[in-house]
Amino acid sequence: MDPSRNKNQILSSLEEHRKRLSEKSLIELFNNDPDRGSHFSTTFGDLWIDISKQLIDSTTIDLLADLAEASKVNQFLLDMMAGNPVNWSEQKPALHTALRASRDSKILVEGINVIPSISETFEKMEDFSQCIRSGKLLGATGAPITSVVALGIGGSNLGSLMAYKALSNFSHKDIDIRFCSSIDPVELDQTLDGLDPETTIFVITSKSFNTKETLVLMENAKKWLEYSIGIEGMSKHLVGITGSREKATNLGIEETMIFDLPDWVGGRFSLSSAAGLVLMISIGPTEFFHLLSGMKEIDHKTLSEPFESNGTLLLSLIDIWNRSFLNYPTMAVVPYSSQMSYLPAYLQQLMMESLGKNIRKERHGFGNSVGSVIWGATGTEGQHAFFQFLHQGTDVIPCEMLGFSNSYDQALQGQQNSLFANLLAQTEALALGSSTEKEDLTPDRKLEGNRPSTVILAPKLTPFILGQLIALYEHRTVVSGVIWGVNPFDQWGVESGKSIAIDIELEINEISSSETMTKRNSSSEKLLEKFKIFRNI
Ligand code: F6P
């Protein structure tokens, strides 16, 4: 990089470069460089990351790497991992990486080393989960606990739900684990269906212990418990994972049943904290720590690998290129694995809650093209739903495919091979369109190609590899935030909606007057009126 070039100059060069490159198609780029598949792929930990089917050439990557350097990405990551207050709107550290750091490290927050308290929480989690896994945790009536219901929403649900499902073949076979996040009463009813209160515990995860959905779920769970085991023994069936001990104890959770969520862990970055308790109960402490080791490996590689082989940086640079230069506002996430079915939802929160912001430190030349809409579904289902649009729709939607070489069961490898064949076929057709021998195709059957995609391929879906994937997604999100000038760690947009809902609910329940609503706007006023009319039908 030429050190005299600042961010705006690099952005102008990138814009010029985009104009030149837009004259070339992916077919031409592949024809011009027969080894493009190796030139634009890298090994990163145990992952193979292939960005060769993106609309880029080597100049694109060089210029984007300059942009990352001018944005001081590495320094930001070092500050983040050192516990400096990188969450600038709340003046807080974002220290999820400390959770998987070596137990002999020293990471200070306000002068206090956070590692001993992390170790203490992990030891408590280990004891607790071993107790359940060995059938030794008894409920109020003396019956062993065999069912765990996780209550929580957003970052207090999606990470552990996604990972639990991903690692389902590592689960303890005799423990029934279920998740519930919605305030819609139907969901808790269905979740509890067939469970026995005497053998069920609720693990309530809420960093704030202030989230309406979670508190309502907890209240309903308590009623369900009370009905069969009475108020007395109820506390044996309630576990809290929170940054707010006081609120949790006020609501009936015993001190000893609380696992601390430090203030410096953001919800969507919290899987490696006590928020992973349900996952630890399911897969056991050994596998849970393998997951953390996978994360640690990527933490390290993200800091140390040069940009050419730095998977985190490359994925983030592609996100920036597609969104801010090629102007593609959305990205489809497509895992070719049923066990990874919650990946799109998990990434939706991680990336959209972190990067969906128009407030920026410096505006630079990105205009309003910052942060992408993330959506998607598992590969085979997606192929039969939205892939038609991906291949021939009027908008170009970049895709990110995730595949695994080995099945969890060798006897089922044939189906694993089919999954990968499908993944490869789709990326090929997206990039290169209908094959050349079929050039006589009628226009409606023709695929033009030139639609970008990335492939992440891993050997097998294990805790260690899942840990690598999660850390990769976390860091990629942070890096994009740094380059775009967005604070990846706050979520003020969501917070404001929450407080408006509280006011409206008071009014629906006729606890407050309609005056505030009237002052707000005529649409909300009318909708509220209609709601009340429909309610009486
Ligand atoms: O969706 C907004 C949000 O604040 C998330 O950031 C967070 O993960 C979720 O709500 C739940 O918050 P809490 O863990 O405090 O219940």
Side-chain angles (χ1 to χ4, degrees):
M1 179 195 170
D2 173 357
S4 62
R5 273 159 50 88
N6 65 29
K7 209 162 164 178
N8 280 331
Q9 288 165 324
I10 301 166
L11 286 169
S12 308
S13 304
L14 272 161
E15 186 46 32
E16 286 305 310
H17 171 69
R18 183 196 63 77
K19 285 182 198 146
R20 282 194 301 276
L21 195 68
S22 62
E23 285 158 22
K24 294 205 177 118
S25 69
L26 270 171
I27 300 178
E28 278 176 86
L29 292 170
F30 268 95
N31 287 342
N32 294 346
D33 175 4
D35 213 9
R36 187 176 162 86
S38 322
H39 291 154
F40 292 95
S41 295
T42 189
T43 298
F44 196 57
D46 287 309
L47 311 172
W48 176 252
I49 300 177
D50 178 350
I51 55 168
S52 66
K53 294 192 183 91
Q54 292 289 345
L55 291 156
I56 52 167
D57 64 10
S58 51
T59 310
T60 327
I61 294 296
D62 288 344
L63 285 170
L64 287 166
D66 286 352
L67 186 65
E69 203 169 326
S71 309
K72 302 190 174 62
V73 164
N74 224 50
Q75 188 54 51
F76 187 95
L77 292 173
L78 286 168
D79 284 344
M80 179 182 90
M81 294 189 195
N84 293 333
V86 288
N87 174 350
W88 62 79
S89 72
E90 296 171 289
Q91 277 305 302
K92 283 200 293 203
L95 207 38
H96 41 288
T97 46
L99 297 157
R100 51 255 191 175
S102 306
R103 300 272 173 104
D104 56 2
S105 346
K106 196 171 174 193
I107 302 172
L108 304 181
V109 173
E110 289 169 4
I112 297 168
N113 184 10
V114 294
I115 300 294
S117 64
I118 294 172
S119 304
E120 204 181 297
T121 304
F122 280 145
E123 276 157 31
K124 190 172 165 188
M125 286 166 70
E126 223 175 316
D127 288 349
F128 189 76
S129 44
Q130 290 293 27
C131 206
I132 297 189
R133 290 170 64 82
S134 59
K136 289 191 187 125
L137 186 76
L138 307 181
T141 60
I145 297 298
T146 52
S147 311
V148 178
V149 179
L151 307 180
I153 197 162
S156 291
N157 163 254
L158 284 165
S160 51
L161 172 59
M162 183 274 288
Y164 163 74
K165 180 97 185 234
L167 301 174
S168 54
N169 50 304
F170 289 80
S171 295
H172 193 297
K173 298 289 168 271
D174 301 324
I175 303 173
D176 187 351
I177 295 188
R178 304 183 185 189
F179 289 80
C180 183
S181 57
S182 176
I183 202 165
D184 186 335
V186 146
E187 195 173 300
L188 188 63
D189 267 6
Q190 288 173 349
T191 306
L192 298 181
D193 191 34
L195 294 186
D196 176 356
E198 292 187 31
T199 57
T200 302
I201 54 160
F202 290 90
V203 176
I204 302 124
T205 307
S206 177
K207 189 174 158 187
S208 59
F209 238 80
N210 217 7
T211 302
K212 181 80 200 258
E213 291 84 347
T214 307
L215 296 186
V216 169
L217 285 172
M218 182 181 168
E219 274 319 299
N220 290 338
K222 279 163 77 177
K223 281 182 201 145
W224 183 78
L225 287 171
E226 189 184 337
Y227 187 74
S228 354
I229 58 177
I231 290 187
E232 240 83 293
M234 208 186 319
S235 60
K236 288 202 160 189
H237 296 254
L238 297 174
V239 176
I241 297 170
T242 185
S244 183
R245 269 185 174 261
E246 204 187 325
K247 285 186 194 144
T249 45
N250 286 345
L251 288 170
I253 303 190
E254 267 185 19
E255 282 281 351
T256 52
M257 297 286 259
I258 294 177
F259 295 80
D260 292 315
L261 259 185
D263 190 39
W264 40 257
V265 193
R268 53 193 177 270
F269 295 90
S270 67
L271 180 66
S272 42
S273 71
L277 179 67
V278 172
L279 181 66
M280 190 192 266
I281 295 170
S282 169
I283 64 175
T286 308
E287 294 300 351
F288 183 82
F289 291 126
H290 283 157
L291 179 108
L292 296 199
S293 304
M295 296 177 115
K296 184 179 169 193
E297 173 147 339
I298 295 301
D299 295 345
H300 172 68
K301 285 194 177 298
T302 298
L303 278 183
S304 59
E305 286 284 316
F307 82 86
E308 302 85 348
S309 53
N310 192 322
T312 301
L313 199 60
L314 291 173
L315 288 178
S316 161
L317 296 179
I318 293 298
D319 289 342
I320 286 169
W321 177 244
N322 281 339
R323 177 65 182 111
S324 298
F325 295 93
L326 301 183
N327 250 319
Y328 302 141
T330 89
M331 176 175 83
V333 174
V334 186
Y336 275 79
S337 156
S338 296
Q339 288 169 276
M340 293 299 290
S341 61
Y342 281 98
L343 181 69
Y346 163 74
L347 285 183
Q348 201 163 52
Q349 193 215 10
L350 178 65
M351 298 174 91
M352 292 175 75
E353 198 163 277
S354 299
L355 303 172
K357 291 159 195 174
N358 58 10
I359 316 299
R360 272 167 279 155
K361 229 178 184 175
E362 312 143 314
R363 290 204 88 77
H364 295 298
F366 290 115
N368 277 329
S369 310
V370 162
S372 305
V373 174
I374 306 295
W375 60 284
T378 50
T380 36
E381 285 67 26
Q383 280 177 218
H384 295 274
F386 55 80
F387 266 62
Q388 167 59 36
F389 195 105
L390 298 187
H391 287 294
Q392 286 186 310
T394 52
D395 294 274
V396 172
I397 297 171
C399 246
E400 185 164 300
M401 319 269 195
L402 171 66
F404 298 93
S405 294
N406 292 287
S407 167
Y408 67 93
D409 178 349
Q410 268 310 302
L412 304 174
Q413 187 59 32
Q415 276 158 265
Q416 194 69 23
N417 299 346
S418 305
L419 278 174
F420 187 64
N422 271 286
L423 179 158
L424 207 50
Q426 295 301 326
T427 59
E428 217 173 278
L430 284 166
L432 308 176
S434 333
S435 63
T436 39
E437 330 61 275
K438 291 185 192 153
E439 261 167 10
D440 55 346
L441 289 175
T442 58
D444 41 10
R445 285 169 191 246
K446 204 163 173 151
L447 270 64
E448 285 168 1
N450 213 29
R451 291 169 185 245
S453 62
T454 288
V455 176
I456 302 178
L457 180 65
K460 199 173 180 177
L461 186 44
T462 62
F464 186 61
I465 286 179
L466 183 68
Q468 294 184 32
L469 283 167
I470 296 170
L472 173 71
Y473 295 131
E474 287 178 350
H475 293 317
R476 162 205 197 162
T477 304
V478 171
V479 169
S480 299
V482 178
I483 298 176
W484 273 325
V486 155
N487 179 356
F489 305 116
D490 61 10
Q491 60 280 323
W492 293 107
V494 196
E495 303 304 341
S496 128
K498 282 185 197 170
S499 57
I500 300 173
I502 295 171
D503 290 349
I504 296 178
E505 198 169 333
L506 288 175
E507 206 194 313
I508 291 177
N509 295 328
E510 281 154 16
I511 296 168
S512 75
S513 74
S514 62
E515 243 169 66
T516 28
M517 181 67 80
T518 315
K519 271 188 227 138
R520 193 171 282 130
N521 66 78
S522 57
S523 160
S524 300
E525 195 190 337
K526 201 77 205 156
L527 281 165
L528 188 61
E529 186 188 314
K530 280 285 167 204
F531 176 81
K532 288 180 177 170
I533 295 170
F534 287 173
R535 205 170 46 174
N536 294 326
I537 286 176

